[in-house]
Amino acid sequence: MTTEQGKKLEELRASVCARLGEYRAKHVLSTEEEAARLAAIFLPESEEKARISALLHDITKEYDTKKQLQIFADFGIIVDNVSMQSPKVFHAHTAALLIPREYPEFADSEVISAVDKHTTGSAEMSVLDCIIYLADYIEPTRRFEDCKTLRAYFWDGICDKKSAQDKLLHLYRTMVLSFDLTIRNLIEEGCVIAPDTGAARNAFLLKLAAGGAEEKRNKNGTESS
């Protein structure tokens, strides 16, 4: 990154951390570094966007439910009954809504998408979306057992992946595991499951099936030649 890009990122860090408590600020900064590590593997040309998305992903996390709902109302968004039962996911969507207003300089469509999808996932997730979702989940300050499990699964497994395709399939498998862990916890707690999470899991399973079929075709083609 250029000196100018570095300066803008430093200003963004200061702005974001100023609006968050100490615990949340540490998490955001750690997520930024984890996102940069993941970007180096999957999207080296998009490190800056990964850092920006990570820094902005929790800007409304500390808002109470009333304030979150007011943001939705301000943008003319009606929250459905299922979503109303899961206010913990509101912040991803409200942060995405506020980026163009509060951080217009960073209101890139890919950044907004990554912020919007970082909690529930979505049936349509770009690699950048996956990077921010995963960085938020496995960054080193996370101490929950599921976070430790997913962190170990990803980093232990990525080491022996040589081709870009193998690395991408490993990312997809990690995403599926993340949804499995989340859904299992929600069921145990008797909570609703966001439709986007189930749809995301299905979408990545389909991508894995397609990727496996392609890998098999390529292998058969090599053996036949």
Side-chain angles (χ1 to χ4, degrees):
M1 288 187 291
T2 66
T3 302
E4 183 63 26
Q5 288 171 320
K7 181 180 178 181
K8 288 181 179 179
L9 277 172
E10 191 57 44
E11 291 172 351
L12 180 59
R13 284 187 200 102
S15 174
V16 168
C17 289
R19 66 191 290 163
L20 300 173
E22 181 179 1
Y23 170 83
R24 184 58 47 187
K26 286 181 178 179
H27 161 68
V28 165
L29 294 177
S30 187
T31 301
E32 180 198 356
E33 292 308 312
E34 193 75 358
R37 290 179 71 195
L38 294 171
I41 298 171
F42 298 106
L43 287 176
E45 72 283 0
S46 297
E47 178 189 345
E48 183 185 18
K49 284 188 181 181
R51 286 182 177 276
I52 291 168
S53 303
L55 287 169
L56 292 171
H57 83 281
D58 269 358
I59 57 172
T60 61
K61 178 69 174 180
E62 295 179 346
Y63 291 1
D64 60 23
T65 301
K66 182 179 179 181
K67 191 168 183 177
Q68 302 276 3
L69 290 172
Q70 185 58 56
I71 294 170
F72 285 127
D74 290 346
F75 284 87
I77 295 173
I78 298 173
V79 181
D80 61 51
N81 290 334
V82 172
S83 298
M84 282 297 294
Q85 298 303 311
S86 189
K88 288 183 179 180
V89 308
F90 287 173
H91 73 282
H93 308 308
T94 55
L97 289 170
L98 289 184
I99 289 171
R101 178 191 294 176
E102 300 190 6
Y103 295 95
E105 183 177 3
F106 302 101
D108 176 271
S109 61
E110 291 180 296
V111 168
I112 292 171
S113 175
V115 171
D116 187 55
K117 297 172 182 175
H118 86 266
T119 300
T120 61
S122 168
E124 296 182 1
M125 294 182 75
S126 67
V127 174
L128 181 61
D129 294 336
C130 294
I131 285 172
I132 302 308
Y133 174 96
L134 186 57
D136 177 49
Y137 207 128
I138 68 171
E139 60 86 4
T141 72
R142 295 287 205 187
R143 298 297 182 220
F144 300 110
E145 287 305 313
D146 286 353
C147 300
K148 294 178 183 178
T149 297
L150 196 66
R151 184 187 303 131
Y153 178 85
F154 176 78
W155 287 113
D156 290 349
I158 199 69
C159 296
D160 62 355
K161 303 297 185 291
K162 305 302 181 184
S163 71
Q165 177 69 2
D166 285 345
K167 291 176 181 178
L168 192 61
L169 290 176
H170 181 62
L171 175 63
Y172 292 166
R173 293 187 190 99
T174 304
M175 294 296 290
V176 172
L177 176 58
S178 77
F179 297 129
D180 288 348
L181 294 169
T182 297
I183 291 169
R184 186 179 303 130
N185 277 336
L186 291 171
I187 290 172
E188 289 175 354
E189 295 171 5
C191 298
V192 300
I193 298 169
D196 279 343
T197 301
R201 182 179 184 274
N202 290 341
F204 281 101
L205 286 171
L206 291 174
K207 288 181 179 182
L208 284 169
E214 181 181 352
E215 189 174 42
K216 186 176 180 180
R217 287 194 299 271
N218 292 339
K219 181 179 180 181
N220 290 339
T222 300
E223 291 175 348
S224 300
S225 60

